[in-house]
Amino acid sequence: VSSGQDYGLFIKTDRSLYGMGNNVHGKLGVGNTVSRHSPTLISSSKITAVATGYLHSAFVKVDGSLWMMGHNWQGQFGNGVTQANSNSTPLEVLSSGVMEVALGHYHTLILKTNRSVWVAGANSHGQLGDGTNTNRSSFKQIYSSGVAQVTAGKNHSIVLKTNASVWTFGRNDKGQLGDGSTTSRSTPVNPITSGVSEVFARGY
C-alpha cells in the first residue's frame, strides 16, 4: 500500500492494483480525472510494487516493467519527454529490469534487479543525487550496484545500501538528510554507516 497527498493505491493478495481518492491529472490511472470515493480497479495484472507521489504514480509488474500515470511536466516519468498534458491511463516506461520505485513531489527513483539506482524528474534541490541541480527527463544512473532500497520525500531522497549504510541527498532545510547540517546536497552523504534494515521518507 502507498498513500499520496490525498489518494492511495494498494495491491491485493491476487496482485491486482486498486486506488481511491483525489484523481487530479489522472494519477489513479483509471482513464479519466474523476476522483474515486471507494477502491477502484486500476490493473488486474500481476503487480509487485507501487508508489505514490504528489501528482504522479507508478507501479511495477511481475515482469519487471515500470508503469507511470498522472503528471509528467518535470520529466518524472523518465521516458525522455515532458508533457503539458497528463496521462490518465498507465504508460509503460521501461519494459523490464525494475524491482522497486519511489516517488517524491516531482522526482522518481527506481531500483533495478541488478541493484543499480536510476533517477528522473525535478532536481532543483539536488534530490536526484547526480551532482547537479539539472532536471532529468530521462533516467540517469547514480548507483551501479549494491543498493537494497530507495525512498523519497518531497524534495529529498534516501538510499539504503546492501551493507546496511544510509545515503541521503536533496533538500535539507529541516535537517532531513541527517548529516548534521541544514545544507542541501546534490551528491549523496552518508549519515549512518551501518546497522539499518529499512528506510522510509515522506512529506509535502
Side-chain angles (χ1 to χ4, degrees):
V1 62
S2 183
S3 60
Q5 183 180 21
D6 47 16
Y7 73 111
L9 304 176
F10 63 89
I11 303 170
K12 296 187 77 173
T13 53
D14 65 0
R15 294 294 177 180
S16 58
L17 179 64
Y18 284 75
M20 60 276 190
N22 192 334
N23 193 26
V24 62
H25 298 292
K27 58 189 176 182
L28 293 181
V30 293
N32 55 48
T33 58
V34 179
S35 295
R36 297 294 194 270
H37 300 156
S38 59
T40 301
L41 178 67
I42 298 169
S43 176
S44 58
S45 300
K46 298 298 183 182
I47 309 300
T48 59
V50 64
T52 53
Y54 174 49
L55 296 174
H56 72 302
S57 308
F59 60 87
V60 180
K61 291 186 178 182
V62 70
D63 61 4
S65 59
L66 174 67
W67 298 73
M68 310 280 282
M69 53 265 199
H71 180 297
N72 189 29
W73 299 345
Q74 301 294 323
Q76 59 264 49
F77 282 18
N79 61 346
V81 300
T82 56
Q83 296 169 253
N85 59 315
S86 299
N87 289 274
S88 62
T89 56
L91 175 69
E92 185 176 16
V93 174
L94 296 172
S95 60
S96 64
V98 180
M99 63 182 297
E100 185 175 290
V101 57
L103 306 182
H105 206 65
Y106 296 121
H107 74 289
T108 300
L109 294 88
I110 59 170
L111 175 62
K112 290 194 173 184
T113 52
N114 64 2
R115 298 294 176 178
S116 64
V117 175
W118 300 71
V119 295
N123 196 26
S124 57
H125 299 280
Q127 60 264 47
L128 299 187
D130 64 352
T132 77
N133 294 99
T134 304
N135 291 359
R136 307 286 180 186
S137 61
S138 297
F139 281 113
K140 181 177 181 179
Q141 182 176 296
I142 58 168
Y143 288 95
S144 60
S145 63
V147 175
Q149 186 190 351
V150 293
T151 188
K154 179 179 178 179
N155 291 308
H156 74 292
S157 306
I158 303 176
V159 168
L160 175 63
K161 289 192 174 182
T162 52
N163 65 3
S165 65
V166 171
W167 298 77
T168 60
F169 41 96
R171 189 170 186 173
N172 195 28
D173 59 320
K174 300 296 190 296
Q176 54 265 53
L177 301 188
D179 67 345
S181 79
T182 55
T183 302
S184 296
R185 310 288 184 180
S186 63
T187 56
V189 293
N190 179 206
I192 304 174
T193 58
S194 64
V196 178
S197 62
E198 189 173 1
V199 291
F200 180 75
R202 209 58 180 156
Y204 290 96

